[in-house]
Amino acid sequence: MRRTTLTGAAEKARTDYAEAKESKAESARQSPGGAEDGMIVMGDVAGLGDQAWQSVTVGRANGVTEVQLVIRRANVLVEVEHSARRPKEQVVAAADALAREALHRLDVR
């Protein structure tokens, strides 16, 4: 197979990761129940893929916690969105478990 672009797949994945991270951050800021109604926490996540970032939005009025994860592992980008009307710690743990299961199933060689 011949490469058709000047950049490799890993470099493309890094670029896609940065774009997805910014898109998810903007989405979290604008989500119903976001900053005006609750709390938003955003940041990098260690130990999950080669790069990982998450936002956690907790709506005060509706009691819904929303977690968005963007993960890059080699040249693969994984995005996980999970929300529930449960305590923040439970929703974050469930989203983390979903992400780890998805990463576990990847065959990156």
Side-chain angles (χ1 to χ4, degrees):
M1 178 175 261
R2 222 169 113 194
R3 185 184 297 180
T4 58
T5 65
L6 297 176
T7 60
E11 182 59 35
K12 170 90 168 88
R14 280 189 282 278
T15 300
D16 290 349
Y17 169 83
E19 290 172 0
K21 177 179 166 180
E22 183 54 39
S23 174
K24 295 293 183 186
E26 186 59 30
S27 173
R29 285 186 212 99
Q30 295 180 2
S31 74
E36 295 174 5
D37 185 38
M39 171 185 73
I40 299 175
V41 177
M42 297 183 210
D44 294 328
V45 180
L48 198 57
D50 296 324
Q51 291 178 289
W53 174 90
Q54 79 175 0
S55 72
V56 180
T57 306
V58 180
R60 259 190 271 265
N62 62 12
V64 173
T65 299
E66 298 176 9
V67 177
Q68 298 184 53
L69 280 161
V70 179
I71 306 145
R72 183 187 67 81
R73 181 170 169 206
N75 64 346
V76 178
L77 197 65
V78 176
E79 295 183 36
V80 174
E81 294 183 16
H82 183 61
S83 63
R85 187 170 281 127
R86 290 203 235 140
K88 178 181 81 168
E89 295 76 18
Q90 290 179 5
V91 181
V92 170
D96 183 80
L98 287 169
R100 290 182 189 282
E101 180 63 25
L103 292 173
H104 176 73
R105 293 175 180 260
L106 288 179
D107 185 10
V108 179
R109 295 175 200 203

